[in-house]
């Protein structure tokens, strides 16, 4: 069984039911597109209420644009994200990254509660430039 088969069985084949999802999908093709498709499906069906997704800034890919079309905000990182690995030293991607924020479709602002996009901007501003969607 390949790593791809394990990912499909464990992550792609199961329903996702979560209030908030943090997704750092495998960056290899075709897995990244499959994970993005799965997230978007679960989010549109409201089985996932909101999500933050970390990907490469692969602006030439269809999955990047699929995320961009529904994201409320995107953080384009300054520099590259350094990943920690107890096994490998200097584990860093070869290109810049982006954090996408998919807001809760059913969110209704409550008095005194910050808008979730405002919270995303506050949390991720230190990592790069925040671009809001024009939805």
């Amino acid at each position: 069984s390949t790593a791809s088969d394990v990912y499909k069985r464990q992550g792609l084949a199961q329903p996702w039911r979560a209030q908030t999802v943090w997704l750092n999908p495998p960056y290899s093709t075709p897995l990244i597109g499959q994970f993005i498709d799965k997230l978007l499906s679960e989010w549109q069906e409201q089985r996932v209420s909101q999500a933050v997704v970390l990907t490469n800034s692969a602006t030439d890919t269809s999955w990047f644009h699929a995320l961009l079309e529904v994201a409320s905000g995107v953080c384009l990182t300054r520099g590259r994200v350094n990943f920690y690995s107890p096994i490998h030293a200097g584990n860093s991607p070869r290109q810049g990254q982006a954090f996408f924020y998919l807001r809760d479709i059913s969110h209704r602002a409550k008095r005194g509660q910050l808008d979730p996009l405002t919270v995303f901007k506050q949390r991720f501003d230190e990592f790069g430039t925040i671009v809001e969607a024009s939805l």
Side-chain angles (χ1 to χ4, degrees), residues 2-126:
T2 67
S4 177
D5 293 335
V6 172
Y7 285 130
K8 286 179 185 176
R9 272 197 317 277
Q10 293 180 352
L12 297 173
Q14 305 298 321
W16 295 3
R17 293 187 189 342
Q19 183 175 2
T20 302
V21 167
W22 160 257
L23 179 62
N24 181 9
Y27 286 4
S28 63
T29 302
L31 280 174
I32 191 165
Q34 293 168 347
F35 270 86
I36 299 306
D37 288 346
K38 175 71 171 181
L39 171 67
L40 295 178
S41 172
E42 298 292 322
W43 178 74
Q44 288 164 341
E45 294 295 323
Q46 296 185 12
R47 289 186 290 266
V48 167
S49 60
Q50 63 180 347
V52 174
V53 184
L54 172 62
T55 69
N56 282 331
S57 294
T59 60
D60 60 329
T61 62
S62 58
W63 58 260
F64 188 93
H65 285 270
L67 277 171
L68 197 56
E69 287 176 14
V70 299
S72 295
V74 180
C75 173
L76 303 172
T77 61
R78 282 182 211 96
R80 297 178 186 162
V81 172
N82 291 313
F83 293 98
Y84 171 77
S85 171
I87 300 168
H88 305 327
N91 200 2
S92 178
R94 295 181 188 154
Q95 64 189 71
Q97 284 73 48
F99 291 96
F100 291 85
Y101 174 62
L102 280 63
R103 94 180 325 147
D104 186 343
I105 301 170
S106 65
H107 175 77
R108 301 287 180 259
K110 296 178 184 167
R111 188 177 189 140
Q113 182 182 34
L114 286 177
D115 173 65
L117 180 57
T118 300
V119 174
F120 172 78
K121 291 179 348 187
Q122 289 173 347
R123 300 279 195 272
F124 285 86
D125 184 60
E126 71 180 278

